[in-house]
Structures are given as structure tokens and as C-alpha cells.
Amino acid sequence: MEAGYRPAEPPLLEVEGLSKSFVSKGLLGKATTVDAVRDVRFSLARGQAIALVGESGSGKSTVAKLLLRLERPDRGQIRLAGRDVLRDEPHGASLGYRRRVQMVFQDPFGSLNPGHDVLHHLARPLLRHRRATPADVRSKAAALLVRVGLEPAQEFLDRRPFELSGGQRQRVAIARALAVEPDVLIADEPTSMLDVSVRVGILNLLAGLKREQGLALVLITHDLASARYLADRILVCHRGRVVEDADTETLLAAPKHPYTRALLAAIEGLEADEKPRPRAAEPTAGGCRFASRCPEVFDLCRTSEPEPRAAGAAMVRCHLYGAAAGSEPVAASAPAQT
Ligand SMILES: Nc1ncnc2c1ncn2[C@@H]1O[C@H](COP(=O)(O)OP(=O)(O)OP(=O)(O)O)[C@@H](O)[C@H]1O
Ligand SMILES: [Mg+2]
């Protein structure tokens, strides 16, 4: 072996072909299958943030649940630091996996127990994952509060959730996730229930953790503005599919998929009529799932579902960039560049 040779490190988190459908009973007892997540793939490096963006029902939280292993995918792989975790841990996530992949939820009040003080919330993971002993748990918990900007920490440790503002509660939830020194933090709409004035503070905190501690982030949001602020890469989700995947600058400067363009137009306040609406549950037909709302629809879109293809630096699932346009299919064996 040559001096200085080191094998290439696998990506921290990689998913491929991730798919999950749910069967739900309709009003008349008729079972319908919802393709909540279909063939999602991405890879995430240490210190990188990706955002999953899309309207309500596009499958974002289902991806989060699959990554947290709260749901089992029907198909696909999840690799953490190169290890196929679904194969190695078929009966549920190991304590090690759960330590490395942590979550922050949308509702900071709902995720904290009103009957317990902040210290209790932080002590539990610290002790459970042996990050602290009963003797030093208070000082370790205080250090966590300093990391998330809640000072004086000693004072905050003794407060209960109702004695905190929404933004402070979300900081406690983030501190609790950090208690076990995770590698990946999944944040599902972490600022959508907060007042606009405190949102930026939370996004800044997450940006600092990524930059300074190499935390990898999966930000789930319907809000492209938050994604722009925090993410290096944006995956646009529509009805269970990732329809466009590109680095943030490319995606915002040159959005390719008509759905991405509609999302961007909505945040710019233009073309109000194009504003994406939550989709109605409808059975899966053969064509592109955006066809019924797409301003650029043509015949092929109604009969055949587009495959992911490379279009410049982006991956896009749209017939506008299909074989006829000379694009390359994105091969399953070559993960999209991240
Ligand atoms: N446990 C479940 N049983 C049945 N259907 C489900 C279940 N979980 C999710 N779904 C369906 O899967 C689809 C995707 O849901 P998901 O919660 O992932 O969307 P989302 O993008 O997070 O939406 P929102 O922005 O509203 O949070 C929806 O149609 C939803 O109704
Ligand atoms: Mg959701």
C-alpha cells in the first residue's frame, strides 16, 4: 500500500430506490394504495445539508420516518457510513443507529413533556446513551444548552416547556437531539410553527452546527426560502417522487421541472394561479404525476412516467428533458453527485 493511501470514505448516509406505499380505506371501504415514496435516492456527506421540498402529501415526512426506521420501506437501501442497515438490522434500528440519526420535529411543544423540566429532557438521552453519569449530567446538560444558545443555561435547566417561548422550546428539542452526538439530524418543518421573527435564529443555529461540527442535515420543508438558506442541495418532491435534484444555486437559478418552477413562482408571489395546491388523493395512473397541473404538458406525459435523467448539473424527471432532448438516463449504479 502506498504511503498516505486511504480508501475513499463512503458517504455518511446514502439511500437508493427507497419506496413505501400505504393502503388506506376510503369512505366506502374501498382500499386504495398511496405511493407515498417511490425510488428516492440521495447521498449525504458530513457537514452537508440537503432539503426535501414539496407540497403537502408529497412524501417528505415518510422519507423522514424511513430514515429514522420508524417505518420499514417496501424496497430500497439505507446505508450509513457504507453499511446496509436494513440488511444488518432487519428487526429495527439498533441503539447505535438511533444515536447517529436524530430527529427534530415540527411542533416543539408536542415533542416535549409538559410535566418535566428541561434538565429531565436532556438527562434522559445523556444517561441512556452513556454520555453522562448521574454526577455530571447537570453540567453536561448545561453545556448542551450553551451550544444551542440558551443562556444562562443553569436557569433554563429548571424551566418547564410552558415557561419557554416557541423558539426556546425548539432549541431545547435540538439540544436533546445533540445530546447523543448524532451524525445526521433530520428536521421535519422545524420552523413552520414558529413566529417568523424567530425562524431565522433556528435556521442559523442549524447552519452553525453543520458548519462548525460537521453535522449532516436533512431539512424537510414546504418552504423554498428556508431550503435556500440552509441547504447545499435541494430535492424537489412531488407525489412521492423526487422530480428534481440539484445543488441549491443551480436549482434556484435554473429550475428545470415545471413543478419546481411553479414552487419558485409561488414564493416570488408571481403567477398566483400556478401556486401548487395540496394534491387530492387519486389513484396512480400511468403518466407523469404532474401532468394534470403542468402548463407544459404534451401527449407523452399522459401515458408514460418520466425516468430520472441528467439535465446539466441537475437530475430531473420530466419528458421535457427526456431521450428526445438528448439527455442521459441517471444510472442506478452511479449515485448523483452531491
Ligand atoms: N401511516 C399512513 N397510512 C396511510 N397513508 C399514509 C401514512 N403516512 C402517510 N400516508 C400518505 O402518504 C402520503 C405522503 O405523506 P407524508 O406525510 O409523507 O407527506 P408530507 O410531504 O410530509 O406532507 P406534509 O407537508 O403535509 O407534512 C400522503 O398521501 C399520506 O396521506
Ligand atoms: Mg410532513
Side-chain angles (χ1 to χ4, degrees), residues 28-48:
L28 303 171
K30 200 172 147 241
T32 51
T33 303
V34 180
D35 250 343
V37 168
R38 172 72 77 85
D39 285 334
V40 167
R41 68 178 334 214
F42 60 79
S43 96
L44 182 66
R46 210 167 282 283
Q48 190 189 22

Side-chain angles (χ1 to χ4, degrees), residues 131-263:
R131 301 269 146 181
T133 62
D136 66 6
V137 72
R138 191 177 170 96
S139 68
K140 292 236 164 103
L144 282 170
L145 290 186
V146 173
R147 268 170 82 187
V148 300
L150 281 180
E151 291 182 88
Q154 291 296 339
E155 206 172 287
F156 277 106
L157 281 176
D158 299 323
R159 293 210 199 159
R160 291 179 186 226
F162 64 84
E163 297 170 305
L164 301 171
S165 71
Q168 290 168 342
R169 283 197 288 265
Q170 197 58 300
R171 285 174 194 268
V172 171
I174 293 169
R176 178 175 57 183
L178 295 179
V180 296
E181 303 290 341
D183 296 318
V184 181
L185 185 67
I186 301 169
D188 192 348
E189 302 277 11
T191 59
S192 62
M193 288 181 69
L194 302 178
D195 197 82
V196 179
S197 61
V198 296
R199 282 185 193 174
V200 173
I202 297 292
L203 293 176
N204 267 333
L205 169 62
L206 294 173
L209 294 168
K210 160 179 129 70
R211 199 174 49 240
E212 285 143 31
Q213 289 157 41
L215 191 67
L217 292 169
V218 179
L219 174 70
I220 292 177
T221 177
H222 59 267
D223 171 28
L224 262 172
S226 315
R228 166 157 61 189
Y229 194 82
L230 199 59
D232 304 296
R233 198 168 184 89
I234 297 180
L235 282 70
V236 178
C237 305
H238 178 259
R239 297 190 56 186
R241 267 74 166 165
V242 175
V243 296
E244 185 162 353
D245 170 355
D247 67 85
T248 301
E249 250 173 66
T250 303
L251 188 120
L252 296 171
K256 299 223 160 35
H257 199 285
Y259 177 63
T260 311
R261 288 192 230 137
L263 278 179

Side-chain angles (χ1 to χ4, degrees), residues 82-95:
R83 205 166 57 79
D84 181 340
V85 297
L86 295 168
R87 185 198 58 201
D88 292 357
E89 305 167 3
H91 304 297
S94 63
L95 192 62

